[in-house]
Amino acid sequence: MALLLFMTLAAWSMGSAVGGSPDEDYVLTSIWCGTEGNPPYCRKDPDRPNAMILPIMAAEPSLCFRQLGQDYSAKCQESIYNQEISTDTFNRGYYPDTYFKIGKIFVDSDVESSVVKMRLLNSNLAALLITSACAFFWKKNSDLLLAWLAVIAPVTTFFIGSVNTSSWTLIGTTCFTLAFIAVLKNRKQPITWVPAGAISILAMWITNSSRYEGKYVILLLATAMVYSEFAPKSVKMTKKSVLIGSAILPILFLIFKYQSEFYAQINIFDDPRVEVSDGITTTANNLLVNNIITLPRFITGFFGSWGLGWFELELTSTVWLFTLQSCLLVVGFALMKSRNFHRLIFGALFTIMCMAILYANQQRFAKVGEYIQPRYFLPFFLGIVIIAAANKTERYPNSLVITVAILATISNSIALRDTIRRYTTGQDVLISKSLNNPIEWWWQFGPKPETVWLTGTLAFAALWVLLIHDRNTDKALFES
């Protein structure tokens, strides 16, 4: 299972050129240089204070192909392989240093090979930790992994297999949710909850080592899981339910306090800002109404409707429509087979996520789609999906599982091919053309692009086949 998941994510790691993920220039510069330089790969600029000199392939790897557009490949990077640049764009406390320090271990003179090693490390970390977390409840409830697999292609797989800091946040929150559920469900069995608890702690460390807001996601998800396990089975307002429910209030306060401090402390309920563009005046209230109406567009970004890369890589519409359908099937069935208080928990989590999305956009005085990206809220969304699957009272039926497997596999395959094609030839070449011929750009090492696509497609399909086989085997053993 771990090997197949790694092969799937590794294909995504190889599927895009250096600089393919958002803010990769910032991330790579921070890895290459730290805050004090990293000779001989990065050194302080003697002519510019607070600036570093490093290869352009690390500092601005995506600039050439982003400027040209999605119809042009990454071949333009060949002209900057041996060039250097001075930049002051690197981490100065906006992100934890741990992620960058670990990435620095793989830095060498070959930027391309260094980046691929970092990406493969993240893919391997995800495969090992997530399958390890699933092992604690595999025989009882493999539906948790099933629900996660149903919604990860293409956005989650793309970011986990990248060097973006969101990779560790997605890995950490997913692993924490799975492991913490195992802790709660097996709290009377130390042989299970002790190692599951250890993985939960490791997952928290990974999450907080990549993005500061990750700890708030962990807090919210942990509160929801504890409430799901210990809350009264009725929805009556008992002292116990009020006490447990109120535990979430200080967490919400901390999150919104963090958002207010980070986004300039604007009160969205009394916002005096006004923006005039092309003779059209936009007030804060107008913007809020517009963002509420267009909020579904943000949600579909979890499934790839925004595209990938720097969101200039447009995916075939089938990709996000199929993943959206998979999500609706697994979440819809879970809610149908859940108790009322579990449905309330799901509704509360989803509402909190939507409010946070609106809040973040209002603080930036931005329309949905302008600044705040779906990846910032994707870890929380994945946690909600897993919790919904854990709270249902019946297993997913085979008919649903097979349908979701087909939808997810097709979505993953088309998205991976779209991504590889964007960097090897540009998207002006038909998707049906071989990825090996014509070819304008590819790594100077490793398998050919068509081989990478086939590996990622078949590994993900095999992952579903193995999952379905194990589910049916466990059911037969249980019934016998």
Side-chain angles (χ1 to χ4, degrees):
M1 189 71 72
L3 177 61
L4 291 174
L5 181 56
F6 170 73
M7 291 171 65
T8 301
L9 297 172
W12 280 97
S13 296
M14 294 286 294
S16 61
V18 177
S21 63
D23 301 330
E24 193 160 319
D25 47 1
Y26 178 92
V27 173
L28 290 180
T29 301
S30 301
I31 291 173
W32 247 254
C33 301
T35 56
E36 302 298 326
N38 183 29
Y41 310 114
C42 175
R43 60 190 186 278
K44 290 186 175 182
D45 189 340
D47 301 320
R48 295 177 61 202
N50 301 319
M52 301 285 184
I53 298 175
L54 71 159
I56 297 181
M57 273 293 289
E60 295 181 350
S62 64
L63 189 59
C64 67
F65 58 74
R66 272 198 294 143
Q67 287 180 328
L68 295 173
Q70 66 174 359
D71 287 342
Y72 290 84
S73 70
K75 183 177 177 62
C76 59
Q77 287 186 337
E78 294 177 2
S79 63
I80 62 173
Y81 277 159
N82 300 314
Q83 296 183 29
E84 291 185 324
I85 192 173
S86 174
T87 180
D88 59 0
T89 305
F90 55 91
N91 185 47
R92 291 191 180 91
Y94 292 109
Y95 297 92
D97 286 331
T98 306
Y99 181 83
F100 304 119
K101 288 179 179 178
I102 291 178
K104 187 181 290 188
I105 297 171
F106 300 94
V107 171
D108 61 36
S109 57
D110 188 336
V111 175
E112 282 193 318
S113 66
S114 299
V115 169
V116 169
K117 290 173 186 175
M118 296 172 198
R119 292 180 179 181
L120 292 177
L121 169 69
N122 291 346
S123 297
N124 187 50
L125 185 67
L128 291 176
L129 286 180
I130 292 171
T131 53
S132 295
C134 291
F136 296 112
F137 51 76
W138 184 253
K139 296 299 181 182
K140 294 181 179 179
N141 195 357
S142 60
D143 284 359
L144 275 64
L145 178 63
L146 187 156
W148 183 76
L149 289 175
V151 299
I152 61 171
V155 181
T156 301
T157 48
F158 174 82
F159 278 108
I160 287 180
S162 72
V163 296
N164 194 283
T165 54
S166 294
S167 174
W168 276 26
T169 312
L170 290 165
I171 295 169
T173 51
T174 296
C175 185
F176 173 81
T177 306
L178 294 169
F180 196 63
I181 288 173
V183 170
L184 295 175
K185 298 293 185 184
N186 299 278
R187 57 187 180 276
K188 295 181 180 180
Q189 303 174 29
I191 194 172
T192 299
W193 74 256
V194 170
I199 290 182
S200 298
I201 294 171
L202 176 60
M204 285 192 287
W205 178 81
I206 290 173
T207 302
N208 204 45
S209 296
S210 54
R211 301 185 67 91
Y212 286 124
E213 70 270 21
K215 57 179 169 287
Y216 300 115
V217 176
I218 293 290
L219 279 171
L220 273 174
L221 294 175
T223 303
M225 286 183 278
V226 170
Y227 191 71
S228 296
E229 188 66 23
F230 295 106
K233 299 306 185 245
S234 66
V235 293
K236 295 179 181 179
M237 294 294 290
T238 64
K239 291 182 179 179
K240 185 178 179 181
S241 62
V242 171
L243 182 63
I244 297 177
S246 63
I248 200 171
L249 295 179
I251 297 173
L252 290 175
F253 172 76
L254 288 172
I255 293 172
F256 281 99
K257 183 175 183 293
Y258 167 80
Q259 293 283 348
S260 296
E261 292 175 351
F262 191 81
Y263 294 117
Q265 296 183 325
I266 297 296
N267 185 347
I268 65 172
F269 301 106
D270 185 22
D271 193 339
R273 290 176 294 179
V274 176
E275 184 179 274
V276 179
S277 178
D278 297 328
I280 299 175
T281 301
T282 301
T283 66
N285 290 337
N286 298 147
L287 180 65
L288 180 59
V289 172
N290 177 81
N291 285 344
I292 291 173
I293 294 172
T294 56
L295 183 60
R297 178 173 177 263
F298 190 98
I299 303 298
T300 60
F302 296 147
F303 313 113
S305 67
W306 288 35
L308 294 177
W310 292 78
F311 302 107
E312 42 78 49
L313 195 176
E314 295 180 12
L315 297 173
T316 305
S317 297
T318 304
V319 171
W320 71 268
L321 287 171
F322 275 22
T323 305
L324 173 61
Q325 185 61 46
S326 295
C327 177
L328 293 175
L329 286 172
V330 297
V331 173
F333 182 88
L335 294 179
M336 286 176 57
K337 301 300 180 180
S338 296
R339 296 185 177 91
N340 286 337
F341 76 102
H342 283 145
R343 296 192 187 107
L344 285 174
I345 291 171
F346 176 87
L349 288 173
F350 195 82
T351 300
I352 289 170
M353 182 183 72
C354 291
M355 290 174 60
I357 293 169
L358 292 173
Y359 186 83
N361 278 282
Q362 288 296 124
Q363 291 288 7
R364 283 286 181 177
F365 207 80
K367 296 178 183 178
V368 166
E370 282 185 344
Y371 184 83
I372 307 298
Q373 300 172 14
R375 66 185 172 97
Y376 300 138
F377 295 89
L378 183 57
F380 188 48
F381 172 75
L382 294 177
I384 294 175
V385 172
I386 295 171
I387 291 171
N391 286 340
K392 61 182 175 53
T393 56
E394 293 183 19
R395 282 164 55 103
Y396 288 121
N398 272 346
S399 57
L400 182 145
V401 174
I402 292 172
T403 301
V404 168
I406 293 171
L407 291 172
T409 299
I410 293 174
S411 176
N412 176 74
S413 180
I414 296 176
L416 183 57
R417 192 172 187 88
D418 269 339
T419 302
I420 296 174
R421 177 170 60 108
R422 188 265 175 269
Y423 299 103
T424 55
T425 63
Q427 292 189 309
D428 55 330
V429 176
L430 295 176
I431 193 172
S432 57
K433 293 283 290 184
S434 171
L435 295 172
N436 291 342
N437 185 27
I439 186 171
E440 299 172 17
W441 167 88
W442 190 244
W443 308 103
Q444 302 175 58
F445 45 82
K448 296 295 183 182
E450 196 78 43
T451 304
V452 170
W453 172 72
L454 282 171
T455 299
T457 297
L458 296 177
F460 194 63
L463 194 57
W464 278 103
V465 170
L466 181 59
L467 178 61
I468 294 170
H469 176 267
D470 280 358
R471 281 169 50 83
N472 291 335
T473 302
D474 293 341
K475 183 180 179 181
L477 289 174
F478 179 77
E479 291 176 349
S480 62

